[in-house]
């Protein structure tokens, strides 16, 4: 029971159809009802034309708890939410729904980008280690030949001992990858134009040097106009034969038209969780090339990993209710160089 004077903030869930059922367990919904005045089973899918029940909840909401598929919070939507003070986003980037109108209104914003960074970093670590061992190639070759005759000679240049790893972007994910790589015998190069002091155990270099020196390169830069196609023909040409390019950021950061000839020839390898377009055309060589591992944007939170984002979001709701600052506050200025 709550005291007669109930100071809990009013809260409304706002996200795409089916998302709340994957994001929130019943335990999450129970805790949410303890932290805020809300119907934890009422989810607003479209705030531009809400039904009467949703419209009433939006009019009273002090917090919107959002996730993937949330309605963009335009001035028209915000006009229906006169009491709104905060947006708690239970996912990564807020750029898809937090508009300039939100900042002009002075809304406080937080996201679970930190919780979403961990599975991406874990995927990247696995990809780096598998790339060094040439797991994709060896598995395919093993299935084709069903012998082990050639491995001792063919695997001579393989392995993960003192391999040079290039990390592009000291983002939240990029920094987490660096942390996960520390126990291994790697030389770690980092490129990020905004970093002046590199994390311990890394060498700060320019992009061209990173591409020329690394045998595994992982992309963790944000999608910005300045990063579009940042891995282009010159950078790809500079990569040593046999280099593996890993992209878990955004497909637009890599010039795929320039990349494809290097992949078709077998000179480079790639592990791509994102592409441009997001779904490659049916006739794209990426589907069938033996030196390409193509996954459908699964590096980020998936399955029960969504519950980690829900945990972080509910902690932020609790902080708001106690009158504390958000632990992972997002500011408008952050979005000029973040995803």
């Amino acid at each position: 029971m709550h005291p007669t004077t109930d100071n809990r903030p009013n809260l409304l869930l706002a996200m795409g159809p089916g998302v709340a059922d994957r994001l929130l367990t019943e335990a999450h919904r129970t805790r949410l009802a303890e932290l805020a005045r809300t119907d934890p089973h009422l989810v607003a899918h479209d705030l531009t034309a809400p039904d009467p029940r949703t419209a009433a909840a939006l009019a009273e909401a002090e917090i919107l708890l959002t996730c993937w598929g949330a309605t963009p919070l335009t001035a028209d939507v915000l006009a229906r939410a006169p009491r709104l003070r905060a947006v708690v986003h239970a996912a990564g980037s807020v750029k898809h729904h937090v508009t300039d109108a939100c900042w002009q209104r002075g809304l406080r914003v937080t996201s679970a980008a930190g919780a979403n960074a961990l599975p991406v970093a874990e995927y990247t670590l696995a990809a780096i280690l598998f790339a060094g061992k040439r797991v994709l190639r060896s598995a395919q070759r093993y299935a084709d030949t069903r012998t082990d005759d050639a491995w001792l000679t063919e695997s001579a240049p393989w392995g993960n001992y003192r391999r040079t790893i290039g990390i592009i972007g000291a983002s939240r994910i990029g920094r987490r990858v660096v942390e996960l790589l520390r126990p291994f015998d790697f030389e770690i190069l980092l490129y990020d134009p905004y970093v002046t002091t590199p994390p311990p155990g890394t060498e700060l270099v320019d992009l061209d040097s990173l591409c020329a020196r690394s045998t595994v390169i992982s992309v963790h830069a944000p999608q910005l106009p300045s990063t579009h196609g940042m891995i282009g023909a010159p950078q790809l040409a500079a990569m040593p034969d046999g280099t593996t390019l890993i992209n878990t950021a955004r497909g637009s950061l890599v010039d795929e038209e320039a990349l494809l000839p290097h992949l078709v020839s077998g000179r480079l390898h790639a592990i791509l969780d994102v592409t441009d377009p997001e779904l490659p055309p049916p006739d794209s060589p990426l589907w069938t090339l033996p030196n390409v591992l193509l996954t459908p944007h699964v590096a980020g939170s998936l399955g029960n990993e969504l519950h980690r984002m829900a945990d972080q979001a509910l902690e932020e709701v609790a902080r708001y209710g106690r009158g504390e600052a958000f632990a992972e506050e997002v500011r408008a200025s952050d979005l000029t160089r973040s995803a």
Side-chain angles (χ1 to χ4, degrees), residues 110-139:
T110 180
S111 91
N116 193 48
L118 181 56
V120 182
E122 292 170 341
Y123 175 107
T124 302
L125 174 63
I128 289 170
L129 295 175
F130 269 35
K133 300 286 280 190
R134 286 286 186 264
V135 167
L136 180 61
R137 173 175 172 76
S138 61

